[in-house]
Amino acid sequence: MALCGALWAAGAVASANPSSTPAAATDYVLQPSDLIRVLIFQEPDLLREVRITQEYTITLPLIGTIDLRGRTVRQTEEVIRSLYDKDYLVNPQVNLTVLEYSQRTVQVVGAVNQPGAVVFPPEQKMGLVEAIARAGGQSRIADLKRVRLTRTSAEGKTENFTINVDDLMKGASGEQWLLLKGDVVFVPERLL
């Protein structure tokens, strides 16, 4: 019940997306710029609202800096619980709530009706076809057989992929091409 209340308080996607579940919220992988609330039951002095740094860390009283890279909400609660349990509290009950999600966007440009940044929901994945749809769909002169996806890896290496979105839309390809924050999708024009 506390998690449902936390989702409501955070203004999370629950109202905008009736299919989101409490399990999905706790499996969300925390990102830099997310604003989180850390509540330890019956320890009001330890209540903190902190923003995750670009280095994936937060700092809490008594236990110091914690690395959250690659951790879900549930995993982070457990790490915080174990750190407080180790030296400071007896069996602490930790509740972590995401108050504000960092905005995840991809750029969709070229032969689409509304080129620009497309925001996707924090607890959901977004495929290539959905991103084009959110950009107003393809224009009349779009060439969906040669859509280019540009992705920069964590190491700074740029990768380019040419994807036949026409096949994706017809179900002829089993791939979904899930997008990542910062991807750039270019829909070229058909040669007439």
Side-chain angles (χ1 to χ4, degrees):
M1 186 65 175
L3 180 58
C4 290
L7 281 171
W8 177 81
V13 188
S15 60
N17 181 8
S19 67
S20 69
T21 62
T26 58
D27 291 339
Y28 170 73
V29 177
L30 295 167
Q31 301 293 317
S33 298
D34 283 348
L35 178 64
I36 60 174
R37 175 186 295 140
V38 179
L39 172 71
I40 289 93
F41 183 66
Q42 294 187 337
E43 296 292 339
D45 293 345
L46 298 177
L47 172 68
R48 291 295 184 275
E49 290 182 6
V50 293
R51 193 165 298 277
I52 300 172
T53 69
Q54 294 303 309
E55 292 77 35
Y56 291 85
T57 62
I58 60 169
T59 303
L60 295 175
L62 303 174
I63 58 177
T65 302
I66 305 164
D67 185 3
L68 304 180
R69 188 177 309 272
R71 295 189 199 273
T72 65
V73 171
R74 184 178 304 136
Q75 291 168 335
T76 301
E77 284 177 339
E78 184 53 35
V79 166
I80 293 169
R81 190 200 68 71
S82 67
L83 288 170
Y84 276 120
D85 191 38
K86 183 177 175 185
D87 292 322
Y88 302 103
L89 302 171
V90 177
N91 194 23
Q93 302 302 308
V94 177
N95 182 311
L96 189 145
T97 307
V98 180
L99 299 176
E100 183 181 299
Y101 294 97
S102 66
Q103 193 174 53
R104 297 186 309 160
T105 61
V106 296
Q107 295 293 323
V108 182
V109 295
V112 292
N113 292 317
Q114 297 169 349
V118 174
V119 178
F120 52 107
E123 296 175 14
Q124 297 178 350
K125 296 176 168 72
M126 182 169 58
L128 184 57
V129 173
E130 183 182 354
I132 292 170
R134 286 180 180 234
Q138 73 271 14
S139 70
R140 289 183 309 103
I141 57 172
D143 182 358
L144 293 180
K145 294 180 189 289
R146 299 182 304 118
V147 173
R148 199 166 53 239
L149 170 63
T150 304
R151 176 172 289 164
T152 304
S153 69
E155 298 81 35
K157 181 181 175 188
T158 301
E159 299 177 283
N160 290 299
F161 306 93
T162 301
I163 303 154
N164 187 334
V165 174
D166 196 38
D167 281 353
L168 292 177
M169 293 170 79
K170 291 176 183 172
S173 172
E175 294 186 72
Q176 288 186 1
W177 285 98
L178 295 176
L179 299 177
L180 302 176
K181 179 179 178 178
D183 283 354
V184 177
V185 176
F186 175 70
V187 180
E189 294 180 357
R190 274 182 286 138
L191 300 173
L192 299 175

